Amino acid sequence: MAKQNTFTRAKKVLAGGVSASMRLHPYLDRPVYVTHGEGPWIYDQSGTQLLDFNNSNGASMLGHNHPEVHEALLTAISEGPVAAGETEAHVELAERLCKMIPSAERVRFASTGTEVTSVALRLARHVTGRDKFLKFSGHFHGLADAFLFEERDVFHSSAKPIAVSGGIPTSYAYDARIVSWNDRDAFYEMMETHGREIAAIICEPVWYNAGCVPPDEGFLQLLRDSADEHGCLLIFDEVLSGFRMAPGGAQDYFGVTPDLTTLAKALANGMPLSALVGKGEIMEELAPGGPVAHSGTYSGHPLSIAAANASTRILSKKKAYNDLNKTASWFYEQLQETFDAANLPVRVQGLGGRFGLYFNREADVRTSEDAATNDHRLNAEFVKGCLDQGIYFHAYRTAGPPGHSGITLAHTREQLGDALTVIRDVAGKLKA
Ligand SMILES: Cc1ncc(COP(=O)(O)O)c(C=O)c1O
């Protein structure tokens, strides 16, 4: 496991000892130092092989170091990549995304998910001339100031929108309107009261940042209809749900098309790349054609574009998802049976390549309130027990909803079967 002195050294030179806050594993109180990954495996500093259920926070959808992505990267490096250079490969990737993603008529590449959710909101504010937006409690849209509000702080409790970071202008709270996921009445009431001031409704169409909370039947269509009725945009943040259960992501799977969509993570199988895609007339408001600012030295970096072309050639095939979805459903059922047999109250919810485990819960998790009931003490004991036996689950916080976990196209039934044996053992020793 982690060499003690690496973290000791890190704390003297890296802020908080890490390069991203969520790499400090909240249950272990240290990062898991990784040397490399191969398929479904990661290897830690001491050479221990771990079956990876985090998959680069969901980015390595094909598994780590996928041979076709590896080859594409080597070729791109050998050609002498030029950052800030536009290439034909950008056009090839955009053409493929326009075929794959129902809402994609135009594409703009960027580097991170945070960047494209911010640009999506900027575009929505520009085309509607409104400032406010509606988000769902606990949905994660990156770390831009506008989105860092919660109706109910997940760490403390409070009645009004509250910043979940230091340094956020208090006035920004007035722009965020927040309701609980899948709560039709709360949503309806909010739109009746504030709909005409709202520039955009933004959501994770499958709320994976709380494990896996799918939309109730008809809920996404309700958002679509309400956005149309009130003259605002519908933005699907598919940074995590994109390419997860269908080639065109959640909008393809559920048959509801937003105006704008944000993509990242699986797009380039772990290389830094994001995309904002959407309706042509809205997207053409982006500079240079329109007045809405967006550009970046590293936007659509040629190495990331090469990785994304290789990844999406694979992810554009329906067959990939037939296989993935079958394996995933089988695994989630087996997981549920394993916890049930161990008499441990854990609710398993999964869709496509990502799932959530809700500790000390038997009922369905549907709303933001449901997701927040996760028992983090039990969750932590489970994660530590699994890690001791070669299985890696990440966690993102110690209160509120649980973190998200996943499988990739590289995880085989045999490996998952072995993992179930370990999970049976660990679960059998835990007490709710
Ligand atoms: C749904 C969603 N949106 C946005 C982001 C932010 O993406 P990034 O970490 O690339 O800035 C994330 C990251 O986890 C995410 O899950």
Side-chain angles (χ1 to χ4, degrees):
M1 300 295 146
K3 277 186 202 158
Q4 193 51 45
N5 71 346
T6 307
F7 193 37
T8 308
R9 278 170 53 206
K11 282 191 278 193
K12 290 186 184 144
V13 285
L14 291 168
V18 283
S19 308
S21 61
M22 290 180 196
R23 285 182 209 164
L24 184 81
H25 197 301
Y27 296 155
L28 308 175
D29 246 346
R30 61 170 173 80
V32 170
Y33 286 99
V34 175
T35 57
H36 64 290
E38 195 64 45
W41 307 103
I42 51 173
Y43 296 83
D44 81 1
Q45 239 180 1
S46 60
T48 306
Q49 185 189 52
L50 302 167
L51 189 68
D52 184 15
F53 283 116
N54 183 45
N55 331 118
S56 314
N57 298 349
S60 308
M61 185 66 199
L62 303 173
H64 299 289
N65 198 23
H66 188 276
E68 286 168 47
V69 179
H70 181 106
E71 200 51 46
L73 281 168
L74 286 185
T75 306
I77 289 171
S78 70
E79 284 169 352
V82 177
E86 198 71 13
T87 71
E88 197 173 339
H90 290 77
V91 183
E92 178 194 328
L93 181 59
E95 284 171 346
R96 190 173 304 105
L97 293 180
C98 286
K99 284 195 193 120
M100 291 171 74
I101 317 285
S103 63
E105 294 174 4
R106 294 285 187 286
V107 177
R108 172 60 61 85
F109 294 115
S111 303
T112 67
T114 296
E115 191 182 349
V116 281
T117 53
S118 301
V119 178
L121 182 58
R122 189 180 298 155
L123 255 183
R125 283 172 161 166
H126 165 69
V127 299
T128 60
R130 305 170 183 176
D131 288 344
K132 298 189 191 333
F133 66 96
L134 185 148
K135 76 184 272 284
F136 292 90
S137 184
H139 285 216
F140 183 58
H141 302 300
L143 295 180
D145 288 1
F147 295 117
L148 291 177
F149 286 92
E150 282 304 335
E151 164 102 339
R152 227 171 7 90
D153 183 344
V154 287
F155 302 108
H156 314 99
S157 79
S158 160
K160 64 173 175 40
I162 179 165
V164 289
S165 161
I168 311 291
T170 7
S171 60
Y172 284 22
Y174 299 106
D175 288 339
R177 293 285 173 263
I178 305 170
V179 295
S180 175
W181 184 233
N182 279 328
D183 187 336
R184 282 169 179 267
D185 293 343
F187 173 75
Y188 185 77
E189 200 183 312
M190 186 66 85
M191 289 305 282
E192 281 304 295
T193 318
H194 296 287
R196 291 279 151 201
E197 305 163 289
I198 282 174
I201 299 166
I202 184 168
C203 70
E204 295 185 58
V206 177
W207 185 23
Y208 282 122
N209 271 293
C212 174
V213 191
D216 280 355
E217 175 92 46
F219 192 65
L220 295 180
Q221 189 60 49
L222 173 72
L223 305 190
R224 174 70 279 172
D225 294 344
S226 182
D228 292 342
E229 185 190 335
H230 293 93
C232 64
L233 301 195
L234 179 62
I235 304 170
F236 279 1
D237 180 356
E238 297 230 43
V239 165
L240 201 40
S241 61
F243 315 102
R244 201 62 62 186
M245 74 304 277
Q251 59 196 269
D252 182 4
Y253 188 83
F254 290 104
V256 176
T257 306
D259 300 297
L260 294 173
T261 303
T262 55
L263 302 165
K265 298 205 191 259
L267 173 61
N269 207 47
M271 287 292 286
L273 183 71
S274 60
L276 174 63
V277 309
K279 274 195 182 137
E281 62 187 300
I282 301 172
M283 293 291 291
E284 291 298 348
E285 292 297 307
L286 285 174
V292 179
H294 175 260
S295 192
T297 305
Y298 303 113
S299 283
H301 190 282
L303 293 183
S304 301
I305 294 284
N309 268 319
S311 306
T312 53
R313 266 181 225 123
I314 298 167
L315 297 175
S316 57
K317 299 198 177 87
K318 280 222 162 78
K319 161 103 177 61
Y321 291 94
N322 290 342
D323 296 346
L324 173 82
N325 289 338
K326 265 191 219 143
T327 303
S329 306
W330 166 81
F331 180 57
Y332 305 147
E333 269 168 34
Q334 295 291 310
L335 257 180
Q336 187 65 70
E337 279 176 23
T338 303
F339 287 119
D340 292 349
N343 262 329
L344 195 69
V346 180
R347 170 82 191 161
V348 181
Q349 291 190 183
L351 176 64
R354 231 133 177 97
F355 63 96
L357 303 178
Y358 301 87
F359 286 82
N360 231 343
R361 183 163 186 105
E362 277 160 4
D364 276 4
V365 175
R366 283 186 47 252
T367 64
S368 303
E369 288 76 16
D370 292 348
T373 63
N374 183 55
D375 180 336
H376 283 269
R377 178 198 59 83
L378 204 54
N379 197 342
E381 283 177 26
F382 173 76
V383 165
K384 286 182 200 162
C386 286
L387 188 62
D388 286 344
Q389 297 196 52
I391 294 184
Y392 183 62
F393 284 99
H394 196 64
Y396 296 86
R397 52 185 91 79
T398 52
H404 50 95
S405 304
I407 64 167
T408 69
L409 288 163
H411 286 70
T412 65
R413 283 199 189 209
E414 194 185 345
Q415 292 154 352
L416 294 170
D418 291 345
L420 287 165
T421 308
V422 171
I423 290 169
R424 189 168 303 123
D425 179 60
V426 174
K429 292 177 189 149
L430 297 182
K431 292 249 169 323

